[in-house]
Amino acid sequence: MKQIVVIIGLAFFASCATAYQSRSLTGGYSDYKISSDSFSVSFEGNAYTALDVAQKYTLYRCAEVTKKN
């Protein structure tokens, strides 16, 4: 029974992490154009977002912006 409670608790906390999305109240990515060929890209996670996940989301957004422009 204790294992089920722990698994449910971990699933709850994992679902609270910031998803890959445009910045909103719960966090997300943002980007803006600095010059004709330069952009600033950032990702802001909440307390439940692991650092490596935030870094991967930032790199993913950089790739999207590069491909788009």
Side-chain angles (χ1 to χ4, degrees), residues 58-69:
T58 304
L59 288 174
Y60 186 73
R61 184 61 187 164
C62 287
E64 288 182 330
V65 170
T66 300
K67 188 175 179 181
K68 181 180 175 184
N69 296 288

Side-chain angles (χ1 to χ4, degrees), residues 13-43:
F13 285 117
S15 67
C16 295
T18 302
Y20 182 75
Q21 63 186 10
S22 181
R23 182 159 289 156
S24 67
L25 293 175
T26 60
Y29 64 78
S30 65
D31 52 73
Y32 61 92
K33 195 171 196 174
I34 296 174
S35 67
S36 63
D37 61 350
S38 297
F39 289 79
S40 173
V41 177
S42 66
F43 181 86

